[in-house]
Amino acid sequence: VADGFSPHVYISLSDGGAPPEEVPEPATEKLSKVELRAYLTEQVKRVGGCLACMKFSDAYEVIQDIPDNPGQMQEYPPATGEKGQGILRGMMNKERLWNAVVAQESGTKKRYELLMKIAADSYYVADMSSPKDFANEPDVARTLWVRDCRDFGGLNLGNMVFGREAAKVMMTGFS
């Protein structure tokens, strides 16, 4: 919790098998889903946040009827490659989490001003800027912040902080 901002955490996990380059997290790798939920709830609560949503799936989804759109996703075409299908699964997942955010807001009658998306393979190395630094920016609702995007060679979609309107656009790319 920083500067009066309390994080609400939304997590979606798939047990479809980790890519070989991923390193297991020793504190969680042997936990059942129930134990993992309890552990993460406590970790988030310990820093003043709330685990608002946690979804599990037992396997990677099979995407049916992928259209062959030659003008889109040219580098990793989902109609012909697993990497492109993985990107589509990630987009579907982000949209499900966005829908969970909207449902939570509807139930609580509160709206998030900032949202953050963190890649599954991210590791904590230092504190980030205060949410107030982002919230005080002009046109915050339509702003997207990413780290080192100029050095990355494009938009690094792994870790992002969004204003409200930017989040809706970036998190609903599947539909």
Side-chain angles (χ1 to χ4, degrees), residues 9-13 40-41 44 51-56 93 97:
V9 178
Y10 293 75
I11 300 174
S12 179
L13 300 171
L40 292 175
T41 297
V44 172
L51 183 58
C53 174
M54 185 162 186
K55 298 182 179 202
F56 292 99
N93 203 18
L97 289 174

Side-chain angles (χ1 to χ4, degrees), residues 14-36:
S14 173
D15 196 15
E21 67 274 3
E22 283 192 20
V23 177
E25 175 61 40
T28 61
E29 69 177 328
K30 301 233 188 269
L31 298 180
S32 70
K33 289 177 184 173
V34 171
E35 293 167 329
L36 180 60

